[in-house]
Amino acid sequence: MRVRGLRWLVAVAALLLLGAAGPFLWWRYATLPALSGSLHLAGLTDHVVVEREPSGVVHIRARNDRDLFFAQGVVHAQDRLWQMEFQRRIGAGRLAEVLGSDAVGKDRYLRTWGFYRAAEAAYEHISPEARAVVDAYAEGINAYVASDPPLPPEFRLLRVKPEPWSGPDVLVWSKLMAYNLADNRRSELRRYRLLARGLSPERIATLMPLYPGEELRAQAGLPTPGNRFSSQSVALGFPLSGTAEDPGAFSRQAEALLALDATNRQHLPRASNNWVVHGSRSESGLPLLANDVHLGMQIPSTWHLMHLKSPGFDVIGASLPGLPVVIIGRNRDIAWGVTNLAADVEDLYVLTGRGDDGYVYKGETRAFETREETILVNDGAPVTIRVRETVYGPVISDVVDDPVGAPPIALRWIGHDRDDTTFETFLGINRARNWDEFRVAMDRYVAPGQNFVYADRDGHIGYLASGRIPRRRAGHTGLYPVPGDGDWDWLGYLRRSELPVRVDPPEGFVVTANHRITGPDYPHQLSLEWGAEPYRAERIGQLLRAHPKHDLASMQVLQQDTLTLLYRELRPVLEAMTPVTPSARHWRQRLLAWNGDASADSTESSVFHAWYTALSTLPSRETGTDYWNGYPRFLLRALREGDSACERRGMSCLAFATRALERALDRVGEDPPPWGDLHRAHLSHAVLTHTPLAVLSDRVVSLGGSHYTVNVGWYWPEDWVVYHGPTYRQVIDMAAPEQSLFIVAGGQSGNWLSNNYADQLPLWLAGEYLPMRREGYPVADRLVLKPVQ
């Protein structure tokens, strides 16, 4: 009876499990692509072999170059079709068609910027060869969709059918990447807003200090009482008389624009590290190259790992779903890595004139060029918007409700240049064989500005800054909006030969980490703010100098480093404090005994970052923001020298720092949790994250690091949630390239029912990598793409 009863229970349990698993199994079958066997596709000219490793890393072997990129379109569509669909809808401002009326505001913003129009122009200006690659890639996507494959579940859930792809669809995501990697418009708006709140330019310069070493360069450009700004009742481009019934209108306008720009936290700070080590400092005798790219922590990953091989190509690395070629990686002869240059390639222009009357430009009234855009809404009536264009670009202030008295603001941005040939650069890099060919490829680069590091099998290393950089007239710092009257127009661009370049430097390595990469004698202005504090670059340099020779293992250790040099800067403040409460005295001693390693298991890191967050509230009464944590230089100066913000609080800055430690302990508790319990990354699905399906699609992981560590974990001060981190890592040894390594924070598949959806994430968390092999790899799936007879 017992056995018979046990069998009965097992049978019932099995039926229940099958009943529960049935829908799941059906969804998997109905939404996952066939990765083995053969697939006949119209448009191919010959057989193409697609092999996938157990990790999902893809290898494509084609007998001609056109079929290679056709097949890349097929593979990206197999693994990431919904992600690609959503990305091009962002670029085209077509989110409301699938997300409803809540997305109309986003669509209005995206269409006003004109990303898709910029992609259309770029498609027309790239070379016939590059256009053929883009067309082949789009044809591959279309051929795959036409084969009636299983579609990712998002298409079914949102009742969307994939539409045919075109050349601009392919290029539009590169425009969004360029937008996300530019930031000057935001800092201009922040200054504009502070000025509207009544702060003086001098005080704003204190609150938003320039990058170390850039102060002297900017002094010539800062306005003085006798210059043309004041003669036209304009200070730093801000109209002061006769134009505003309510001065607060300017502040509200800037706040609204900043809020729209930051709707998605993933579109906020961006960072990356790369470095290249000469063979004289490597164990192998040939260069080492490392790169970790810091973007929004999302799932599916921004990146897709891929090897492309044909008669003209043999390249492996990180690709972008929706775009052909490999963006970061290596081929048979060279390796390269990128970080954001953070050059100032945006300017805001305050226009004179309102409504449809036009704007004053070079002494004449010019009519706005206008275009109408119709936004389709899946749960409502279509919405028609009108976009105004100027000689500078679109009037971006039109995307917010126009406060009474606030003038129109137009945007000038490199990414709007119609002759953008950036795609040709990556096509050329993919097949470059040496430094000369690499540099020639870079001549076609426009946006976004990037730091490229380089290594080759002949032993050379190099660095070059890329991108189209504007020349500004004397007095135009790019820090504030300026009058859009024609007097402050760009004066062309820096020549390629004027951008920084280094080849085989005597110190034996090159490091970039979004910091200032030019010395004090560099004669041109790339930026006055740059993209990051110098802490990461300084720490990488420390670790590279700490050992005479390096190898792949030491490169990996360096990428995982979580020691924060900000602690070094703040330690003297701790030493000078005399806390009152026993708890604060205890944690002051604990912090003084700490080495500054912001590891996930460190409780000291929890207290330190809670303290720093509390410190960053110092100027909140002036700025109107809760936290000012992105400006540590202001806080450090205030704590060392005193500041009027402390005086307004009726205490010394040292007393404020002491009180901040007590507030920090109120927040994290006297027995605080480890840093990783507070400092967690949310890898969120773009559509499902606020639905019940988020339990399947999203991932939450605990991390170490902070804003200023090599292993970055940029957190939001309200909740310490990490929205930016190293989404892709690679380490390459030119002496043994097949032993090189790479990994993404996620997985290869964009389908949350796939085994490869997030299977790289545990490895990534543990500081491990996947082999970056072009041959000798294990094959889990083999698919042969064949022409239709």
Side-chain angles (χ1 to χ4, degrees):
M1 289 292 294
R2 289 182 180 177
V3 174
R4 188 178 301 171
L6 181 60
R7 288 175 178 173
W8 172 255
L9 289 174
V10 170
V12 170
L15 287 172
L16 290 173
L17 286 172
L18 284 173
F24 176 80
L25 295 173
W26 181 87
W27 269 89
R28 289 201 71 195
Y29 173 79
T31 64
L32 290 176
L35 304 181
S36 297
S38 61
L39 180 62
H40 290 80
L41 297 170
L44 273 178
T45 64
D46 209 332
H47 289 39
V48 178
V49 176
V50 178
E51 294 175 328
R52 283 178 167 84
E53 299 183 33
S55 62
V57 173
V58 175
H59 301 262
I60 303 176
R61 286 177 166 78
R63 296 176 181 175
N64 62 75
D65 295 347
R66 182 200 170 277
D67 281 355
L68 177 69
F69 295 109
F70 181 102
Q72 188 181 18
V74 173
V75 170
H76 274 165
Q78 283 187 308
D79 285 351
R80 303 289 187 90
L81 186 60
W82 171 253
Q83 180 184 18
M84 293 157 59
E85 173 70 24
F86 195 72
Q87 287 175 173
R88 70 166 170 169
R89 284 185 175 275
I90 294 174
R94 296 179 56 195
L95 295 175
E97 293 179 23
V98 296
L99 301 182
S101 55
D102 288 345
V104 169
K106 292 185 178 68
D107 282 350
R108 183 184 180 191
Y109 180 86
L110 295 162
R111 295 200 188 198
T112 298
W113 267 76
F115 296 109
Y116 199 81
R117 287 163 54 86
E120 290 175 318
Y123 177 73
E124 294 300 324
H125 280 87
I126 58 177
S127 68
E129 178 194 14
R131 197 176 306 125
V133 170
V134 170
D135 290 344
Y137 180 83
E139 290 168 16
I141 299 171
N142 293 335
Y144 175 71
V145 173
S147 72
D148 193 26
L151 294 178
E154 292 90 345
F155 284 97
R156 295 175 182 268
L157 291 169
L158 297 173
R159 300 178 182 177
V160 176
K161 292 184 178 180
E163 300 173 359
W165 277 63
S166 65
D169 290 331
V170 173
L171 294 179
V172 74
W173 191 242
S174 65
K175 291 294 180 181
L176 266 296
M177 293 287 285
Y179 157 79
N180 286 333
L181 292 170
D183 192 48
N184 179 253
R185 64 187 180 276
R186 298 188 188 100
S187 63
E188 287 191 33
L189 285 170
R190 292 185 194 105
R191 290 185 172 88
Y192 192 63
R193 176 181 163 276
L194 292 176
L195 201 63
R197 289 177 60 86
L199 277 68
S200 69
E202 293 76 16
R203 181 56 178 167
I204 296 171
T206 300
L207 290 168
M208 299 177 66
L210 300 184
Y211 199 87
E214 296 292 358
E215 296 87 350
L216 293 177
R217 189 190 302 276
Q219 284 177 2
L222 293 177
T224 61
N227 74 4
R228 66 174 302 280
F229 283 106
S230 55
S231 67
Q232 293 190 2
S233 297
V234 175
L236 302 169
F238 192 99
L240 295 179
S241 66
T243 58
E245 299 173 13
D246 175 12
F250 301 104
S251 180
R252 292 194 297 272
Q253 182 187 55
E255 286 175 358
L257 285 169
L258 283 167
L260 267 177
D261 213 353
T263 300
N264 186 341
R265 291 186 182 184
Q266 293 178 352
H267 293 167
L268 291 173
R270 300 139 315 278
S272 297
N273 305 314
N274 65 24
W275 59 89
V276 60
V277 178
H278 192 267
S280 61
R281 299 183 65 96
S282 77
E283 294 287 356
S284 69
L286 283 178
L288 300 164
L289 186 146
N291 192 188
D292 49 289
V293 185
H294 310 159
L295 294 172
M297 298 292 288
Q298 66 180 45
I299 198 164
S301 169
T302 301
W303 306 100
H304 186 270
L305 305 181
M306 184 173 282
H307 170 212
L308 303 173
K309 186 171 184 180
S310 68
F313 295 85
D314 192 356
V315 58
I316 186 170
S319 66
L320 287 172
L323 195 69
V325 307
V326 166
I327 303 300
I328 306 169
R330 66 179 179 89
N331 62 26
R332 288 168 294 192
D333 302 296
I334 74 166
W336 70 97
V338 302
T339 67
N340 192 16
L341 176 61
D344 184 353
V345 296
E346 296 173 314
D347 274 326
L348 298 177
Y349 288 88
V350 181
L351 306 176
T352 301
R354 275 196 194 84
D356 297 325
D357 297 333
Y359 58 101
V360 177
Y361 182 76
K362 295 189 175 180
E364 300 179 351
T365 298
R366 287 208 177 192
F368 292 103
E369 294 183 13
T370 61
R371 53 185 165 89
E372 285 195 348
E373 301 265 356
T374 299
I375 300 170
L376 302 180
V377 186
N378 77 351
D379 60 354
V383 176
T384 299
I385 66 170
R386 191 181 60 153
V387 179
R388 296 187 292 176
E389 296 273 357
T390 69
V391 294
Y392 302 108
V395 179
I396 62 168
S397 57
D398 284 351
V399 302
V400 299
D401 293 333
D402 186 22
V404 175
I409 300 177
L411 171 79
R412 178 73 173 94
W413 173 47
I414 288 291
H416 280 141
D417 285 10
R418 297 183 62 82
D419 59 337
D420 185 353
T421 53
T422 301
F423 175 72
E424 294 181 43
T425 289
F426 287 102
L427 189 60
I429 291 174
N430 274 223
R431 58 188 176 197
R433 295 168 295 180
N434 52 51
W435 174 253
D436 290 338
E437 292 182 6
F438 181 77
R439 285 204 63 176
V440 168
M442 295 305 305
D443 288 340
R444 307 294 290 168
Y445 197 95
V446 175
Q450 297 284 283
N451 297 300
F452 279 79
V453 293
Y454 165 96
D456 64 36
R457 64 179 182 176
D458 293 328
H460 299 295
I461 67 171
Y463 160 83
L464 54 80
S466 68
R468 191 171 282 176
I469 311 297
R471 295 182 190 272
R472 295 176 175 86
R473 57 162 284 183
H476 186 353
T477 62
L479 297 174
Y480 284 85
V482 291
D485 57 10
D487 288 347
W488 301 90
D489 292 8
W490 291 351
L491 306 177
Y493 307 106
L494 298 184
R495 294 187 298 272
R496 169 73 257 174
S497 60
E498 294 175 310
L499 297 182
V501 178
R502 302 191 73 193
V503 181
D504 296 330
E507 59 268 32
F509 62 84
V510 177
V511 175
T512 84
N514 317 115
H515 67 303
R516 186 180 71 163
I517 43 81
T518 57
D521 297 329
Y522 181 70
H524 307 293
Q525 178 180 319
L526 301 183
S527 176
L528 295 179
E529 297 178 284
W530 300 93
E533 301 295 318
Y535 299 129
R536 281 187 287 119
E538 185 178 343
R539 177 61 177 165
I540 295 167
Q542 282 181 358
L543 294 175
L544 288 177
R545 293 185 184 93
H547 303 284
K549 301 285 186 179
H550 288 275
D551 56 16
L552 282 179
S554 66
M555 297 295 95
Q556 295 172 65
V557 169
L558 210 165
Q559 283 189 337
Q560 308 300 321
D561 186 74
T562 53
L563 189 139
T564 173
L565 296 186
L566 179 62
Y567 167 75
R568 174 198 63 187
E569 301 288 331
L570 284 169
R571 196 176 192 281
V573 179
L574 283 168
E575 292 173 339
M577 286 166 39
T578 54
V580 175
T581 67
S583 178
R585 289 197 298 270
H586 168 76
W587 278 103
R588 171 184 174 273
Q589 291 303 119
R590 289 277 297 269
L591 289 176
L592 287 173
W594 183 48
N595 66 353
D597 189 352
S599 60
D601 59 358
S602 169
T603 53
E604 286 85 357
S605 183
S606 297
V607 175
F608 174 76
H609 288 101
W611 180 49
Y612 175 67
T613 301
L615 288 173
S616 73
T617 65
L618 175 60
S620 60
R621 297 176 184 178
E622 291 177 276
T623 64
T625 57
D626 292 334
Y627 300 99
W628 206 243
N629 66 324
Y631 297 95
R633 273 170 274 140
F634 160 73
L635 293 172
L636 289 167
R637 187 207 58 79
L639 294 172
R640 292 166 181 164
E641 304 173 13
D643 188 82
S644 59
C646 303
E647 296 169 8
R648 291 188 185 94
R649 293 175 178 270
M651 62 179 72
S652 69
C653 286
L654 187 61
F656 176 81
T658 304
R659 176 62 185 137
L661 180 59
E662 295 167 353
R663 289 167 50 211
L665 292 172
D666 289 341
R667 186 174 179 186
V668 299
E670 295 186 6
D671 185 18
W675 180 226
D677 288 2
L678 302 174
H679 188 244
R680 301 187 300 165
H682 286 203
L683 283 74
S684 302
H685 188 284
V687 174
L688 303 179
T689 191
H690 297 300
T691 73
L693 288 172
V695 69
L696 296 175
S697 65
D698 291 8
R699 300 291 186 274
V700 179
V701 293
S702 296
L703 297 178
S706 70
H707 297 46
Y708 307 119
T709 57
V710 177
N711 191 358
V712 161
W714 198 98
Y715 60 83
W716 205 249
E718 288 89 344
D719 50 20
W720 293 310
V721 169
V722 181
Y723 283 89
H724 285 75
T727 56
Y728 170 71
R729 295 182 178 125
Q730 69 176 23
V731 288
I732 297 171
D733 186 347
M734 296 306 294
E738 291 302 295
Q739 295 179 21
S740 301
L741 304 165
F742 60 177
I743 197 162
V744 299
Q748 288 286 87
S749 175
N751 189 322
W752 30 275
L753 300 173
S754 167
N755 293 331
N756 293 133
Y757 179 66
D759 57 322
Q760 293 181 46
L761 190 56
L763 298 174
W764 178 87
L765 281 169
E768 300 177 14
Y769 300 73
L770 297 173
M772 192 184 198
R773 292 179 290 205
R774 294 181 296 114
E775 54 191 28
Y777 50 83
V779 176
D781 296 288
R782 189 174 190 270
L783 178 67
V784 180
L785 307 181
K786 299 179 179 180
V788 172
Q789 298 299 322

